[in-house]
Amino acid sequence: MRKLIVAANWKMNKTPEEAGIFVEEIKSGIADANADVYVFPPFLALQTVSDVLKDTDVKVGAQNMYIEDKGAYTGEISADMLQSIGINSVIIGHSERRQIFKESDEMVHAKLIKALSKGMTPILCCGEDLETRENNKFMDFINSQIKSAFADVSESDACKVIIAYEPVWAIGTGKVATGEQAEQVCASIRSTIEEMYSKETADNIHILYGGSCNVGNAKELFSMPDIDGGLIGGAGLKPEFVDIVHCKEK
């Protein structure tokens, strides 16, 4: 039985002071959950949030990292830098990185390889835009992203990756895939992992849903057989994140 995972991606929100106050407010609510809880603050708030949550099982991760360990890469952060302050989880290939910052499938693959080589837990994102969905090409598109990202990844390492399906058309728009739509894609992703590796790996890998997931729809989404939790955006910045973490217990 795969354990529920609920992760909050704060994106470019909250100063270190604001982050510290917020996690203090929700700390007790997310620390006692029957789920693995992750929080992904901006880089400047990582240390503050880690300090507040240090005595809990809540995992603090980064929203991005670069493929090199050090060098002339202005504005980038390395895995070693993250790990030096105790950060061992990272989001890879979020749609905003792909769309706004033009990260290619090749770059996403390289980042996944680097994170795994450093012993980090990557949350690998995939998902289609509205045009791809309306043209009914989304399954092939998403499975192509998965195959590209996992190329040359060993089966033992593949088991360490968390996959997040996030339809681009549902991120920050208020639109949300129905439980059936999200389940259809997550089941297809699981089938692709089985084709690439084995049924055992496919059965054990965690696949999350992201895209306007909130307290009103989380329980339905998380009840689907191939959806193992959520990568939460806007709702992860609010007290209702606690209710999302506990939604399956109610």
Side-chain angles (χ1 to χ4, degrees), residues 3 16 76 78 103 138 141-142 145 181 200-201 214-215 229 235:
K3 190 173 183 179
E76 294 295 336
S78 72
E103 287 191 7
F138 59 97
F141 180 83
I142 293 163
Q145 288 183 322
Q181 286 175 319
E200 182 180 7
T201 295
N214 56 52
V215 71

Side-chain angles (χ1 to χ4, degrees), residues 32-248:
D32 66 350
N34 186 25
D36 286 336
V37 181
Y38 289 75
V39 178
F40 292 89
F43 288 127
L44 286 179
L46 284 171
Q47 187 68 71
T48 299
V49 173
S50 295
D51 289 346
V52 174
L53 297 173
K54 65 182 178 180
D55 296 325
T56 74
D57 292 328
V58 179
K59 301 169 181 66
V60 181
Q63 298 174 23
N64 186 33
M65 53 164 252
Y66 194 52
I67 60 175
E68 301 292 348
D69 293 336
K70 58 184 175 181
Y73 305 104
T74 300
E76 294 295 336
I77 300 289
S78 72
D80 290 344
M81 292 174 180
L82 294 172
Q83 291 183 309
S84 73
I85 60 168
I87 302 301
N88 285 296
S89 307
V90 62
I91 297 173
I92 302 289
H94 190 279
S95 64
E96 289 156 3
R97 297 299 313 175
R98 295 177 188 258
Q99 289 199 313
I100 300 172
F101 300 100
K102 310 305 179 186
E103 287 191 7
S104 64
D105 284 347
E106 292 75 19
M107 177 59 77
V108 171
H109 169 68
K111 288 186 174 184
L112 183 66
I113 295 292
K114 174 60 71 172
L116 289 168
S117 74
K118 295 291 184 177
M120 301 183 78
T121 298
I123 294 186
L124 171 71
C125 299
C126 61
E128 82 282 11
D129 59 19
L130 185 59
E131 181 181 1
T132 303
R133 171 160 281 271
E134 290 180 339
N135 289 335
N136 202 31
K137 296 178 179 178
F138 59 97
M139 288 295 201
D140 288 342
F141 180 83
I142 293 163
N143 287 324
S144 175
Q145 288 183 322
I146 294 296
K147 289 176 180 178
S148 172
F150 279 90
D152 302 320
V153 174
S154 69
E155 185 162 12
S156 60
D157 275 345
C159 295
K160 302 169 186 174
V161 180
I162 299 167
I163 299 172
Y165 165 56
E166 37 153 34
V168 178
W169 49 270
I171 297 173
T173 63
K175 297 179 181 179
V176 61
T178 64
E180 289 75 15
Q181 286 175 319
E183 167 63 17
Q184 178 190 31
V185 175
C186 291
S188 178
I189 293 170
R190 201 174 299 283
S191 293
T192 299
I193 294 297
E194 181 175 350
E195 291 171 10
M196 295 182 72
Y197 298 103
S198 67
K199 187 176 188 305
E200 182 180 7
T201 295
D203 286 345
N204 283 291
I205 200 165
H206 284 80
I207 303 175
L208 314 182
Y209 173 79
S212 297
C213 184
N214 56 52
V215 71
N217 56 40
K219 187 172 184 177
E220 177 199 359
L221 288 163
F222 298 174
S223 69
M224 295 294 159
D226 289 292
I227 299 176
D228 306 313
L231 180 60
I232 315 299
L237 294 161
K238 303 171 184 176
E240 72 178 77
F241 181 63
V242 174
D243 296 321
I244 296 173
V245 166
H246 290 279
C247 71
K248 288 193 73 173

